[in-house]
Amino acid sequence: MKRGYLIRDDEAVSVQGERDGQLVHVVVDGVDSSFAWRASGKGRGRLKGTDGVWRSVAATVAENGVWVTLDGDTFLLPISRSKPRGDAGASGPSGPVSPMPGTVLSVEVTEGDSVSAGDTLAVVEAMKMEHRVLANVDSVVGAVLVAAGDPVEGGQLLVELVVEEGE
Amino acid sequence: MSKRIERVLVANRGEIALRVIRACRELGIESVAVYSEADAQAPHKEAADIAVCIGPPPVTQSYLVPEKLLEAARETGADAIHPGYGFLSENAAFSEAVEGAGLLFIGPRAKTITAMGSKTEARDKMIAAGVPVVPGFQKEGASIADFEREAASIGYPVLVKAAFGGGGKGMRVVRDADQLRDGVESASREAQSAFGNGLVFLEKFVAGPRHVEVQVVGDGTGQVVHLGERECSVQRRHQKVIEECPCPGLDPEIRAAICAAGVRAAEAVHYRGAGTVEFLLDASGAFYFLEMNTRLQVEHPVTEAVFGVDLVKLQIRVAEGRGLGITQDDLIPRGHAIEARVYAECPERGFMPSTGTLLRWDIPSAPWVRVDSGVREGGEVSVHYDPMLAKVIVWGGSREEAMARLDTVLSNSVVHGVESNLGLLVRLVRCDAFQQGKVHTRWLDEEGAVLWEQHERPVLEGVAVWAAVETDPARTGGGGTQAVHSVAGPWESLGPWRGGVR
């Protein structure tokens, strides 16, 4: 049994999953489900739900979550092993992300910097306006993911913040 | 007088540039690609025989600058320019400059582009040619009193439209006389700021219209053939999403009449090359001229699939002055074709364009499927250009077969790394209104949200959890640095999931 967290509507919900032969068993936020599973290689598989119909699914694990597709429907679902820190909605789910598609004007921090809640991390220009992306929790900059001039999309993580352990 | 083209400069990018390059290659013609700095690794740049960089990423500094394109043509010794669609394809000054430089423009004459680019002039020409137009009123310098009198005689609701516009800008629906002054003035203001010309005209508002368009090809001397009609009623905010050929459920007599009207429209301007005459078809079967697009359409492949004709090769042949080489009797439709446009956009968030790296790009190939795409896995979808990733075109012996094939292809496609409308397309193809061919041009804007909300996110969450369990994220090419909110370390590497880029 593996346990972790999924960000849903700015809330971290607990998830767990395991496989028993061809049967996959997952629990998402207390909701239990099982499905029969056949891998078909290259990040694709076939899933049989309760209606008995096999359907094609695909998944790609990226740095910021798992991209999944079922019958064309595609989501990027942020999943982590450890519980996201800070207030959900602030530091939790979205973290220091670009508010909308635009261009990074400047990045104000470098890896290893200690930042306090409210410090400016980066400035993004979008829709002819400047948006300051602030730290929402006292933390240490883990990695800077963008540079000045980079185009970014809405919701894209700009900087990783690592909160000291103390759970 | 005819002249063989030896080297074509393709003044475009993306899938249409690739499409033109492919036709050139089949004809033994050399191709020249132009590309911006953002497209240095773009497929169209790599596909052409010669490639020339024409400047920085913004289109106003690259693909939309006639001088840069002409300079590239001169530099590479191109003897013709194919404009594709969009960009400078319907820019009369560009077509004139190309011919002025002694090159062939693979498209209509500049004066045809000008005439058809003006909605009012096009309307006059169509009335003269006996092509039905939407009842309306146009007059330069018309007063509000003139508009009020004419609107009353046309009958409300009426549409106020910019004479030099498109894309829904400078357009107002006016439902009664009280709103007319407001509608005229605001449409005019909007047209002035968007198109530099505030001239507006009135048109009868056609309720629940279908968008039906006729593909024509002319030799430039008055010979014109048609290649049937396409239906493009699945639109969101005037942007086509799904197109098909032929128009489903169209009465054969109306079909014959609409195609004949398309031919008359093209004959009236001695049309040269491939063009499309767009009509609105109302529930009673009456149809009205909307506009003529003096270029290749995005959706031309459905016509090619049904008629077995390569329209780009035909364009080149006509540009060489060798005539059409076919007659109307040679053009026999067979079966049914449907095209779905895959856009990098999020339907859930107002169709906002999505950008990023295409971590995965997998549209399965199959018999009767054609994918025209200008992107590749690992490539960037940038903010600078159109968010269309690909056109998926299927052919079937019947409309039912084509729909089933489209469903199979789309529901087995994978686009990861940027958001896309793929899920919406699948549900569109499956929904009753589309299946029954009963979609009008405002249907998607009105019903699309409902379709989108049918997604099965809970199931996908389960799949995502499973994928995370099965995957070792340390192998995802993330350099070992995991975002705080992504998997902090490898859970386990068990299964077949492939992680990350490449």
Side-chain angles (χ1 to χ4, degrees):
Chain A
M1 179 71 72
K2 308 291 171 187
R3 294 168 191 280
Y5 296 90
L6 165 75
I7 310 302
R8 179 204 278 164
D9 299 335
D10 292 357
E11 299 275 348
V13 302
S14 72
V15 299
Q16 41 185 289
E18 67 180 335
R19 182 164 70 169
D20 177 12
Q22 266 210 359
L23 203 65
V24 171
H25 185 67
V26 294
V27 181
V28 180
D29 198 20
V31 177
D32 228 294
S33 44
S34 299
F35 45 87
W37 173 260
R38 283 180 60 111
S40 52
K42 213 196 163 199
R44 281 176 179 274
R46 310 271 293 160
L47 172 157
K48 187 159 87 173
T50 49
D51 57 0
V53 177
W54 286 98
R55 292 198 288 171
S56 154
V57 299
T60 304
V61 176
E63 284 171 67
N64 46 353
V66 183
W67 287 90
V68 284
T69 298
L70 170 67
D71 282 352
D73 274 336
T74 304
F75 291 95
L76 171 62
L77 298 172
I79 287 185
S80 70
R81 188 183 190 186
S82 55
K83 185 165 186 167
R85 307 301 308 269
D87 297 334
S91 76
S94 40
V97 299
S98 174
M100 55 186 89
T103 307
V104 177
L105 280 184
S106 66
V107 178
E108 308 287 331
V109 293
T110 54
E111 190 172 332
D113 284 359
S114 289
V115 293
S116 308
D119 285 358
T120 300
L121 302 172
V123 183
V124 173
E125 185 189 46
M127 311 295 284
K128 297 182 176 140
M129 284 179 352
E130 287 187 13
H131 306 269
R132 309 188 84 74
V133 179
L134 309 177
N136 36 28
V137 60
D138 296 348
S139 50
V140 174
V141 176
V144 175
L145 306 172
V146 295
D150 285 356
V152 286
E153 65 168 316
Q156 182 176 335
L157 193 65
L158 305 177
V159 171
E160 292 176 4
L161 296 181
V162 179
V163 182
E164 299 298 317
E165 278 300 324
E167 198 166 348
Chain B
M1 203 177 68
S2 70
K3 170 192 181 232
R4 286 300 177 119
I5 293 171
E6 286 169 10
R7 189 175 289 168
V8 170
L9 180 134
V10 185
N12 218 300
R13 64 179 302 282
E15 66 89 15
I16 193 60
L18 287 166
R19 166 73 187 90
V20 174
I21 291 166
R22 193 171 67 232
C24 289
R25 192 147 294 152
E26 286 176 26
L27 290 167
I29 294 172
E30 281 188 311
S31 53
V32 180
V34 292
Y35 65 97
S36 74
E37 286 158 14
D39 277 339
Q41 259 110 52
H44 82 275
K45 179 219 167 182
E46 291 173 6
D49 299 313
I50 304 165
V52 182
C53 183
I54 51 166
V59 291
T60 50
Q61 295 171 48
S62 51
Y63 296 105
L64 282 179
V65 185
E67 298 74 29
K68 292 192 174 180
L69 298 163
L70 289 168
E71 173 60 28
R74 197 158 39 240
E75 225 173 80
T76 56
D79 49 8
I81 292 187
H82 193 301
Y85 55 70
F87 290 151
L88 294 168
S89 62
E90 291 179 285
N91 183 310
F94 179 60
S95 130
E96 210 164 339
V98 170
E99 304 212 323
L103 307 177
L104 292 177
F105 181 75
I106 303 176
R109 281 176 287 264
K111 67 174 185 188
T112 312
I113 298 176
T114 305
M116 290 306 183
S118 157
K119 289 192 184 347
T120 47
E121 189 179 344
R123 221 181 123 83
D124 287 343
K125 280 202 177 341
M126 291 306 110
I127 292 168
V131 176
V133 300
V134 183
F137 165 70
Q138 56 178 81
K139 194 178 122 195
E140 219 152 327
S143 68
I144 292 291
D146 293 336
F147 278 118
E148 278 170 351
R149 188 186 63 246
E150 296 295 332
S153 94
I154 293 165
Y156 287 96
V158 295
L159 205 56
V160 183
K161 281 170 98 172
F164 298 88
K169 285 210 177 89
M171 197 190 285
R172 293 286 183 283
V173 180
V174 175
R175 304 205 174 267
D176 56 58
D178 291 350
Q179 305 169 348
L180 188 65
R181 173 185 288 271
D182 232 32
V184 168
E185 288 175 354
S186 67
S188 178
R189 267 195 312 273
E190 198 170 296
Q192 181 68 43
S193 77
F195 313 112
N197 189 318
L199 188 62
V200 295
F201 65 98
L202 284 188
E203 228 175 56
K204 179 184 169 63
F205 178 77
V206 180
R210 290 164 74 177
H211 176 116
V212 179
E213 58 185 33
V214 179
Q215 174 71 55
V216 295
V217 185
D219 69 354
T221 71
Q223 288 287 349
V224 175
V225 294
H226 74 81
L227 289 86
E229 83 289 354
R230 293 183 287 257
E231 159 138 28
C232 319
S233 296
V234 183
Q235 306 183 358
R236 51 123 184 124
R237 296 176 197 165
H238 305 280
Q239 175 79 65
K240 295 167 187 170
V241 179
I242 292 182
E243 301 103 333
E244 49 191 310
C245 175
C247 172
L250 190 62
D251 181 275
E253 276 178 32
I254 297 172
R255 170 172 294 128
I258 210 166
C259 289
V263 168
R264 280 203 302 283
E267 281 171 348
V269 291
H270 281 205
Y271 195 77
R272 183 184 80 190
T276 294
V277 188
E278 298 188 334
F279 295 95
L280 284 181
L281 175 70
D282 76 11
S284 74
F287 58 87
Y288 308 104
F289 172 81
L290 194 59
E291 63 177 347
M292 181 166 189
N293 292 319
T294 54
R295 55 171 163 84
L296 195 66
Q297 298 276 100
V298 175
E299 59 271 24
H300 74 276
V302 291
T303 298
E304 295 186 320
V306 166
F307 281 84
V309 169
D310 186 319
L311 284 168
V312 177
K313 285 193 196 171
L314 198 49
Q315 284 186 301
I316 292 172
R317 183 190 163 95
V318 168
E320 288 178 327
R322 295 193 291 129
L324 298 173
I326 40 168
T327 66
Q328 193 64 57
D329 291 343
D330 299 326
L331 295 165
I332 298 160
R334 185 171 156 265
H336 197 97
I338 310 179
E339 170 181 286
R341 302 191 190 185
V342 181
Y343 288 102
E345 66 184 14
C346 181
E348 208 175 16
R349 287 188 289 130
F351 295 100
M352 187 184 278
S354 173
T355 58
T357 304
L358 271 175
L359 300 177
R360 283 180 68 186
W361 173 251
D362 185 3
I363 310 236
S365 65
W368 321 115
V369 174
R370 164 176 171 183
V371 179
D372 279 17
S373 156
V375 298
R376 67 158 73 97
E377 194 166 282
E380 289 294 317
V381 179
S382 86
V383 294
H384 301 291
Y385 310 114
D386 190 271
M388 190 175 81
L389 297 172
K391 310 184 300 203
V392 177
I393 304 107
V394 296
W395 181 90
S398 64
R399 183 167 190 261
E400 288 64 35
E401 189 175 47
M403 287 191 295
R405 282 177 173 153
L406 186 59
D407 185 337
T408 304
V409 175
L410 294 174
S411 59
N412 284 285
S413 292
V414 183
V415 180
H416 287 171
V418 299
E419 291 169 297
S420 75
N421 65 339
L422 200 53
L424 179 64
L425 289 174
V426 171
R427 256 192 304 286
L428 259 170
V429 170
R430 292 178 180 177
C431 81
D432 288 346
F434 182 77
Q435 290 273 327
Q436 293 162 15
K438 287 180 182 159
V439 169
H440 60 78
T441 57
R442 284 183 290 274
W443 174 82
L444 183 55
D445 286 329
E446 290 162 8
E447 316 283 333
V450 176
L451 284 178
W452 174 248
E453 282 159 10
Q454 292 165 1
H455 65 69
E456 295 172 88
R457 184 176 168 127
V459 177
L460 285 164
E461 287 181 346
V463 175
V465 170
W466 179 242
V469 169
E470 289 263 310
T471 310
D472 175 359
R475 295 185 297 125
T476 59
T481 319
Q482 297 300 322
V484 171
H485 306 309
S486 78
V487 183
W491 276 354
E492 211 167 335
S493 178
L494 294 170
W497 293 111
R498 184 183 62 157
V501 198
R502 286 171 282 269

